[in-house]
Amino acid sequence: KAGVTQTPRYLIKTRGQQVTLSCSPISGHRSVSWYQQTPGQGLQFLFEYFSETQRNKGNFPGRFSGRQFSNSRSEMNVSTLELGDSALYLCASSRNRDNTGELFFGEGSRLTVL
Amino acid sequence: SQQGEEDPQALSIQEGENATMNCSYKTSINNLQWYRQNSGRGLVHLILIRSNEREKHSGRLRVTLDTSKKSSSLLITASRAADTASYFCATDPSSGSARQLTFGSGTQLTVLP
């Protein structure tokens, strides 16, 4: 069974631009979560989707948005990029509808903002 | 902000020794999980312990949970150089159905050959 796939793996943008990151969950998983990882703030929750609905959102500005498609694939978008948005963005999928069971993470998308 | 604090922040041991990492958290939980991350890679799930469990084993891993102290520990026995990685605890809240893990700050483990 294929794991969680994130694309692109690496990207470089300049301040003010926007970026879209993609995540394909494990087949059959309907919950997809996104996390931001930085050296200073560590791993922080961005948002979680289940069956195309955003169920939870972390404490991030409105520049960070996401969506989930009917096939459970998810995208996140960051508009008007700032230097501080440089981070590893991790997507995770889960089989369970509720908050039990482990998350399966992708390898991440490393964003560098210049 | 992160819920958990992990202790120590960094740990360096010789191959064959045991490694113990501790995690503290702040709110009620449904379960606590430990993840491993090799440098710059994704997280790999190691073990999950539910709030009504006190100890759990998986291979060379042993996890304990003390909900009265809001703390957990991860023991890796007979460590190997391949165990070198960052280890994170993560808590799943006791309320609500949405998935939102809160991660600790992590322990960087270095196992010297």
Side-chain angles (χ1 to χ4, degrees), chain B residues 17-106:
Chain B
E17 294 181 335
N18 295 342
T20 300
M21 290 160 263
N22 303 296
C23 165
S24 62
Y25 58 91
K26 297 175 185 173
T27 62
S28 298
I29 62 170
N30 178 287
N31 62 68
L32 185 143
Q33 304 173 37
W34 285 88
Y35 288 83
R36 165 197 167 122
Q37 184 181 37
N38 286 76
S39 181
R41 307 291 296 276
L43 278 73
V44 175
H45 179 262
L46 295 176
I47 195 167
L48 179 153
I49 186 165
R50 303 191 190 286
S51 60
N52 60 355
E53 297 175 309
R54 292 296 167 257
E55 187 171 314
K56 201 162 183 180
H57 296 255
S58 177
R60 294 184 296 113
L61 305 180
R62 172 178 170 257
V63 170
T64 62
L65 179 64
D66 187 336
T67 53
S68 66
K69 295 181 179 178
K70 292 187 168 55
S71 66
S72 174
S73 68
L74 171 68
L75 169 67
I76 304 174
T77 61
S79 61
R80 307 164 181 168
D83 294 329
T84 295
S86 292
Y87 292 81
F88 296 89
C89 66
T91 53
D92 230 333
S94 60
S95 61
S97 60
R99 305 308 309 273
Q100 179 175 347
L101 290 186
T102 301
F103 284 87
S105 50

Side-chain angles (χ1 to χ4, degrees), chain A residues 12-81:
Chain A
I12 299 173
K13 294 284 186 179
T14 56
R15 279 182 300 174
Q17 287 187 311
Q18 74 165 12
V19 65
T20 298
L21 309 178
S22 179
C23 172
S24 293
I26 292 172
S27 178
H29 287 194
R30 289 195 289 163
S31 170
V32 175
S33 307
W34 288 89
Y35 291 82
Q36 181 197 64
Q37 185 177 28
T38 60
Q41 298 298 315
L43 282 152
Q44 294 193 289
F45 171 78
L46 280 159
F47 22 67
E48 189 250 357
Y49 290 88
F50 184 88
S51 292
E52 302 179 68
T53 300
Q54 185 182 90
R55 298 200 295 182
N56 215 347
K57 189 176 196 297
N59 188 25
F60 279 83
R63 299 185 297 108
F64 291 80
S65 63
R67 59 179 176 169
Q68 186 180 34
F69 302 95
S70 58
N71 62 358
S72 293
R73 190 177 70 85
S74 178
E75 289 181 347
M76 68 162 283
N77 183 277
V78 187
S79 62
T80 319
L81 284 166

